[in-house]
Amino acid sequence: MSAKPIHIVGGGLAGSEAAWQAAEAGVPVILHEMRPVRGTDAHKTEGLAELVCSNSFRSDDAQTNAVGLLHAEMRLAGSLIMSSGDANQVPAGGALAVDRDCFSNAVTARLEAHPLITIVREEVTGLPPADWDQAIIATGPLTAPALAEAIAAGTSSDALAFFDAIAPIVHFESIDMNTCWFQSRYDKVGPGGTGKDYINCPMDKEQYEAFVQALMDGQKTEFKQWEGTPYFDGCLPIEVMAERGPETLRHGPMKPMGLTNEHNPTVKAYAVVQLRQDNALGTLYNMVGFQTKLKHGEQVRIFRMIPGLENAEFARLGGLHRNTYLNSPTLLDPTLQLRSRPGLRFAGQITGCEGYVESAAIGLLAGRFAAAERLGRPMTPPPATTAFGALLNHITSGHIVSDDEPGKRSFQPMNVNFGLFPEIEAPKVDGKRLRGKEKTVAKKKAMTGRALADCRVWLGLATAAQAAE
């Protein structure tokens, strides 16, 4: 067995997972992380796998939700990110949310303790040197300018970019619980939860309309050098959503459905702001869906218009940072390898996936691919029927602009979703075809059942015959 290491640049979720997977396969790893030698606009610590936006890994439902399915597949693959998340979860209804500091500390400690992993704190300013014959770049949306320029030059292709916004965090003790109440939407109970995992702040129609107007009128941070950069629809700033129409927010992050005000049960709120627990102690709450580019003073003024947050104290205000990603379908092969340079792979959000879990999943795949190549083992990409395969296929063979579609944007970041999976027929019940919601649920369950069976075979955890049983 060769003792030559795999070099991984970037200690975020993708880089951390890639390092773990390669080391667990028996290959030495050198993990290069630039913090604290060089910081970023969003990171606050030097911990590995630091969460800079939400603390939620989203739905943990592996039967009817695509990201929950991805959770399950990653657990089957021995994911460091998922095991650390499971060990440090906080209540969040049907979602898996974590204490961000405890989570990062756990990932850091396990990587530091692994006998095959060496962590080097330094900035890598260019593409890996030739003697790094197996390397993974997992620097994410906050890739340092020097490395980003080197990647753009080395790929002979312009990187694409969009803005990613961060939501504020509120101190629990400053929230007026005589106005607000605890409840998950439709009282849904999730992992570690009770069905009362969110704090809800109700608004009547007049309050809502005044709030929306304030969002649109508030002073925003401008980045003229990045004008024209598209936002990712899954992480739109709250004020950008407000500009799309007066009712947009109450049909989005401020929807009142499934919630009953325990202080006034007979009156239906016109809109509701939800806050989700952000740490294990329950002292901090994240404003759900409130990513923003409002200036800090404006955030305090406008968000204190929300009933129950009149005296809110903010542990962190919202912010905005640039997110850079490759035109991966033209640049990467099905094993995430740069077509123009064998042995150099990319992983995480820089490849054009979106979301914590998706980023870690692509890191998991990159680490396994690199380790297999180092060990001289076959590298078979995961089946397209799995969440792994669906996400990988989106990245490496997503829509490419043709010559007869001038100006049309091609590859865009995307969360894992059932639209990326091969079609499947909804099963019949008692010989009858299902319709409506029943058909949708049955189809999703059939898709996730197929995915988990195929994933077990791909991972070598079951034979095809066993999976079919």
Side-chain angles (χ1 to χ4, degrees):
M1 181 185 297
S2 172
K4 195 172 183 180
I6 295 170
H7 291 263
I8 298 174
V9 183
L13 278 84
S16 296
E17 186 67 63
W20 182 261
Q21 292 291 327
E24 285 291 277
V27 178
V29 171
I30 298 178
L31 178 60
H32 304 261
E33 168 55 47
M34 71 177 184
R35 294 175 292 120
V37 176
R38 180 190 175 103
T40 75
D41 293 335
H43 289 89
K44 304 300 181 186
T45 77
E46 61 185 64
L48 302 175
E50 179 186 342
L51 306 181
V52 299
C53 190
S54 168
N55 69 323
S56 175
F57 289 176
R58 312 196 316 281
S59 175
D60 202 44
D61 175 6
Q63 285 195 306
T64 62
N65 188 283
V67 75
L69 171 63
L70 189 56
H71 288 182
E73 291 185 11
M74 291 175 70
R75 289 181 178 116
L76 288 175
S79 166
L80 169 66
I81 295 303
M82 288 308 303
S83 62
S84 299
D86 290 337
N88 292 282
Q89 64 180 325
V90 296
L96 172 62
V98 303
D99 181 304
R100 64 181 70 231
D101 292 331
C102 294
F103 168 77
S104 175
N105 291 342
V107 172
T108 303
R110 292 181 70 186
L111 290 173
E112 288 177 340
H114 200 292
L116 292 180
I117 297 175
T118 301
I119 300 170
V120 179
R121 299 285 183 164
E122 64 178 7
E123 181 182 2
V124 176
T125 58
L127 290 179
D131 62 336
W132 293 10
D133 64 323
Q134 285 293 325
I136 299 170
I137 295 178
T139 47
L142 302 176
T143 298
L147 180 55
E149 290 171 9
I151 292 170
T155 58
S156 300
S157 175
D158 292 335
L160 304 177
F162 60 92
F163 288 125
D164 201 7
I166 300 171
I169 294 176
V170 180
H171 287 281
F172 171 71
E173 61 183 11
S174 69
I175 301 171
D176 181 5
M177 295 306 296
N178 291 317
T179 299
C180 307
W181 74 97
F182 283 101
Q183 186 187 7
S184 299
R185 201 176 303 279
Y186 300 108
D187 301 309
K188 187 172 183 179
V189 178
T194 64
K196 296 185 176 183
D197 302 326
Y198 292 79
I199 292 176
N200 300 279
C201 309
M203 285 186 179
D204 59 27
K205 189 172 187 291
E206 182 179 353
Q207 291 168 329
Y208 172 78
E209 291 175 345
F211 180 69
V212 169
Q213 191 62 51
L215 287 174
M216 292 191 292
D217 293 342
Q219 291 184 309
K220 284 88 176 176
T221 302
E222 300 294 339
F223 292 88
K224 293 185 179 179
Q225 66 270 35
W226 294 339
E227 283 179 356
T229 302
Y231 293 106
F232 172 58
D233 276 350
C235 202
L236 283 176
I238 192 76
E239 61 276 3
V240 172
M241 283 189 275
E243 291 167 358
R244 293 189 169 185
E247 295 292 290
T248 302
L249 291 179
R250 64 182 300 265
H251 291 283
M254 295 176 63
K255 58 180 177 286
M257 286 76 79
L259 298 167
T260 302
N261 188 343
E262 67 177 29
H263 304 299
N264 197 354
T266 61
V267 176
K268 184 72 174 177
Y270 191 75
V272 173
V273 174
Q274 286 197 308
L275 292 87
R276 179 180 56 236
Q277 187 175 331
D278 200 75
N279 66 342
L281 294 175
T283 56
L284 300 176
Y285 275 74
N286 190 298
M287 297 180 68
V288 178
F290 270 65
Q291 303 88 355
T292 181
K293 62 173 182 174
L294 287 166
K295 290 187 175 180
H296 282 183
E298 291 288 78
Q299 291 183 47
V300 174
R301 178 181 67 83
I302 294 170
F303 294 155
R304 283 180 177 169
M305 294 173 63
I306 299 170
L309 301 187
E310 294 89 348
N311 299 307
E313 296 295 332
F314 296 90
R316 182 190 72 187
L317 289 166
L320 191 71
H321 60 266
R322 189 182 187 184
N323 192 338
T324 303
Y325 62 97
L326 297 171
N327 190 2
S328 294
T330 65
L331 298 174
L332 304 183
D333 74 8
T335 68
L336 299 166
Q337 187 170 229
L338 192 62
R339 296 179 189 274
S340 61
R341 180 174 165 179
L344 177 58
R345 289 180 167 80
F346 286 81
Q349 284 186 255
I350 198 169
T351 64
C353 63
E354 179 60 28
Y356 289 150
V357 179
E358 290 88 338
S359 179
I362 296 303
L364 183 152
L365 294 177
R368 282 177 166 256
F369 290 148
E373 185 166 356
R374 172 66 83 219
L375 297 171
R377 296 173 180 169
M379 289 185 297
T380 305
T385 52
T386 65
F388 283 144
L391 190 58
L392 182 64
N393 285 347
H394 167 69
I395 290 169
T396 59
S397 52
H399 174 70
I400 300 174
V401 171
S402 61
D403 292 337
D404 60 355
E405 294 178 293
K408 182 171 180 177
R409 183 173 294 133
S410 56
F411 178 59
Q412 287 289 296
M414 187 175 292
N415 295 115
V416 66
N417 64 82
F418 286 122
L420 302 180
F421 289 69
E423 276 292 321
I424 193 170
E425 287 292 324
K428 296 180 180 179
V429 177
D430 297 329
K432 297 180 180 179
R433 292 187 179 274
L434 299 175
R435 298 184 183 279
K437 186 176 181 180
E438 285 185 335
K439 179 180 179 181
T440 300
V441 171
K443 191 172 182 179
K444 288 179 178 178
K445 287 183 176 180
M447 199 171 285
T448 56
R450 176 185 67 181
L452 288 173
D454 290 351
C455 186
R456 288 187 179 95
V457 174
W458 178 69
L459 291 169
L461 302 177
T463 65
Q466 289 171 331
E469 292 178 356

